[in-house]
Structure formats: structure tokens, C-alpha cells
Amino acid sequence: MTTVETVGGEWIRRDGDNVTLTITRCHACDARWFPPRDVCSHCASTDVHDEPTGDRGVVYASTVVRAGPAAYRPPYVLSYVDIDGVRVLAHGGTGEAFAPGTPVRLGIGEIGRTDAGPLMSYVITAEDGAR
Ligand SMILES: [Zn+2]
């Protein structure tokens, strides 16, 4: 496993072609959180541990952002994706929003660009590879 130096890179893990995220799971109530945290936001327990997600999820909701930070070069697609009990916000896709329920796979890609260069982070692509 290699930690990638990107936006949110401390939470991204890559093993070959497989990309996963680090989440926190609470031992007391089984709640799961992303980004990882030291205290459960549901029951306030500190009996938590970090673990990796799988590399696939399902789109909960998705939209095309047409007015956003210049670094992200709108329009771009943002989606809430359910992965192993957490709902994460992810960039990814081109043109159109994903339909709810679309199976997606995690990857790493360029989410924007500044004068300093590309902004890399985790991204999603449809499982069928269409987008
Ligand atoms: Zn808890």
C-alpha cells in the first residue's frame, strides 16, 4: 500500500489499480465516518479505529456544478457516493450527472488545476467505464 500525495491524500490508499479510502469505524456503535476522526460523532466514544473501504460504491446523488471555484474549472460533476457504510463527496464523470444507483469505482485523477499544477484526488468512474 502506498499513500498518495494529493488533495485528501492522507485518506487515499492505492494498491496497484485498486484505490480505497480510509474511514473510521466506532467499536461502541458501529458508525462509520469519512474523513477519519478520533471521536465518534454519533456516540462520542473514543473507541474507534481506522480501516480501508472497498474500491467500489454506488451513487446516492449527483449534480453538475456550473458555478464553482475557478481551480475546479466548472462545469464539473460532484456526487455523493455510498461506500462501505460511509457517504463521501467525490469528483468524477464528465458532462452529465450520474443517475442515482450507478455503480462506480474509485480511482485517482485530476479534479482541478491551479498555477502550481494539477490538483489530484480520489475520483469516481462508472463501473461500465462509460464515463
Ligand atoms: Zn459511536
Side-chain angles (χ1 to χ4, degrees):
M1 289 287 205
T2 304
T3 300
V4 179
E5 297 296 332
T6 59
V7 176
E10 64 272 33
W11 310 316
I12 303 168
R13 308 288 289 177
R14 178 167 48 191
D15 184 4
D17 290 337
N18 295 324
V19 174
T20 62
L21 301 175
T22 300
I23 62 173
T24 297
R25 183 187 294 230
C26 175
H27 289 264
C29 76
D30 202 41
R32 298 167 203 188
W33 306 100
F34 180 82
R37 57 197 63 189
D38 296 330
V39 177
C40 177
S41 296
H42 181 71
C43 73
S45 173
T46 57
D47 185 14
V48 298
H49 74 280
D50 291 345
E51 63 183 33
T53 64
D55 63 355
R56 290 172 164 80
V58 176
V59 171
Y60 172 77
S62 183
T63 192
V64 177
V65 179
R66 299 189 189 283
Y72 294 146
R73 296 175 295 164
Y76 56 94
V77 178
L78 275 182
S79 304
Y80 277 114
V81 180
D82 292 332
I83 302 173
D84 289 342
V86 294
R87 182 165 290 158
V88 305
L89 186 64
H91 285 251
T94 57
E96 297 180 24
F98 292 100
T102 300
V104 293
R105 183 169 186 176
L106 284 169
I108 295 174
E110 185 177 320
I111 64 169
R113 183 171 286 270
T114 69
D115 293 342
L119 296 171
M120 305 297 288
S121 192
Y122 62 91
V123 298
I124 57 169
T125 54
E127 275 277 37
D128 64 10
R131 292 185 275 161

